């Protein structure tokens, strides 16, 4: 079955630590890939997206993600997290049109 | 642009009652999506519309759920009768192209 897997459900980091959140998908063919962020009590917002071209994608707030086709992965990274990055992060895949399928999310807590 | 507008923000209802959630997409967006978010299941796509026509409703959990889009600027998601297991945050999102959605702020539904 087609799915999006996020390996880490909960991540706790200290400020200035580096972040990498894993995302794997099981869709065949061409895919578009997304990372969304949901701050506490808020709606989802788009962090970055990949359609084609350079597999290293830069998004807002210093986030980036790398598409590795051979590994079916689209991991999210940030070199140095801040307390304000505390949020839930969702990976999503679109391969058959406009509907997005989301992973279950990773909850990130950044401690001072 | 005011973004995707959902109402109400919070709804508390008794089991067995009818619940109607409302969504106004961004003007010009021809795709509209309804998602449900729970801790256990994450974000689930319930149904989506293109040009007011339902395209895929395979995510609608059962016949108690129905959705309509009578025009390009309004959609409803109705649950009748509601049950405690329907408690969740329901998000509406819209888009006009592949490339990521704009989400509404969600409706937090509690069925007691």
């Amino acid at each position: 079955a087609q799915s999006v897997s996020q390996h880490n459900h909960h991540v706790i980091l200290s400020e200035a630590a580096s972040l990498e959140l894993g995302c794997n998908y099981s869709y065949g063919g061409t895919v578009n890939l997304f990372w969304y962020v949901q701050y506490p009590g808020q709606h989802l917002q788009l962090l970055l997206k990949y359609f084609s071209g350079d597999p290293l994608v830069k998004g807002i707030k210093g986030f980036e993600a790398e598409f590795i086709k051979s590994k079916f992965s689209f991991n999210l990274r940030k070199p140095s997290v801040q307390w304000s990055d505390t949020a839930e992060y969702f990976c999503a895949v679109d391969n058959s049109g406009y509907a997005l399928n989301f992973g279950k999310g990773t909850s990130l807590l950044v401690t001072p | 642009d005011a973004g995707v507008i959902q109402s109400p923000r919070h709804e508390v209802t008794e089991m067995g009652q009818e619940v109607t959630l409302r969504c106004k997409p961004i003007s010009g967006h021809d795709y509209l999506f309804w998602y449900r978010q729970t801790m256990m299941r994450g974000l689930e796509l319930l149904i989506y519309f293109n040009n007011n026509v339902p395209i895929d409703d395979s995510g609608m959990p059962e016949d108690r759920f129905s959705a309509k889009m009578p025009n390009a600027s309004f959609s409803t998601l109705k649950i009748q009768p509601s049950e405690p297991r329907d408690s969740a945050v329901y998000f509406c999102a819209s888009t006009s192209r592949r490339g990521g959605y704009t989400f509404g702020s969600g409706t937090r539904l509690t069925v007691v």
Side-chain angles (χ1 to χ4, degrees):
Chain A
Q2 298 175 330
S3 67
V4 181
S5 299
Q6 293 183 240
H7 318 297
N8 317 99
H9 296 295
H10 300 279
V11 173
I12 302 175
L13 293 173
S14 299
E15 276 192 309
S18 64
L19 170 72
E20 181 159 3
L21 302 181
C23 174
N24 286 89
Y25 61 92
S26 63
Y27 296 82
T30 302
V31 293
N32 298 320
L33 299 154
F34 307 83
W35 276 96
Y36 280 81
V37 60
Q38 186 177 28
Y39 297 103
Q42 296 189 24
H43 61 280
L44 282 82
Q45 302 171 45
L46 182 66
L47 263 183
L48 49 80
K49 60 190 177 188
Y50 172 80
F51 280 0
S52 63
D54 189 344
L56 185 61
V57 180
K58 295 194 183 300
I60 61 172
K61 304 187 181 188
F63 286 91
E64 64 179 31
E66 185 175 12
F67 171 53
I68 303 180
K69 188 174 181 179
S70 61
K71 295 185 178 180
F72 297 88
S73 71
F74 190 55
N75 292 355
L76 181 71
R77 299 195 292 249
K78 186 171 183 178
S80 175
V81 294
Q82 301 172 316
W83 177 80
S84 57
D85 293 324
T86 293
E88 188 134 13
Y89 292 82
F90 294 90
C91 180
V93 175
D94 142 26
N95 84 322
S96 60
Y98 287 70
L100 290 182
N101 288 310
F102 287 86
K104 292 226 168 128
T106 297
S107 177
L108 172 66
L109 173 64
V110 180
T111 61
Chain B
D1 196 328
V4 176
I5 300 172
Q6 290 186 247
S7 63
R9 289 295 304 274
H10 301 274
E11 177 80 37
V12 180
T13 191
E14 291 186 345
M15 182 173 64
Q17 296 298 306
E18 177 179 297
V19 175
T20 299
L21 312 181
R22 297 172 177 80
C23 176
K24 176 179 167 54
I26 289 175
S27 177
H29 284 188
D30 52 356
Y31 282 82
L32 183 141
F33 305 82
W34 282 101
Y35 281 84
R36 177 172 68 177
Q37 185 179 33
T38 61
M39 290 286 288
M40 290 297 294
R41 294 174 173 267
L43 274 160
E44 301 173 276
L45 176 64
L46 300 177
I47 185 171
Y48 78 95
F49 296 83
N50 176 220
N51 291 323
N52 314 335
V53 176
I55 302 301
D56 184 354
D57 65 354
S58 59
M60 296 286 262
E62 47 196 278
D63 292 346
R64 297 184 298 105
F65 286 69
S66 62
K68 294 182 179 179
M69 192 164 186
N71 56 62
S73 58
F74 184 65
S75 176
T76 59
L77 178 67
K78 186 177 293 187
I79 308 172
Q80 165 64 16
S82 58
E83 296 182 3
R85 60 192 167 121
D86 301 331
S87 297
V89 181
Y90 291 81
F91 285 103
C92 176
S94 70
T95 190
S96 60
R97 53 179 172 79
R98 296 179 82 171
Y101 303 161
T102 300
F103 279 85
S105 296
T107 295
R108 181 174 295 277
L109 173 65
T110 303
V111 183
V112 298

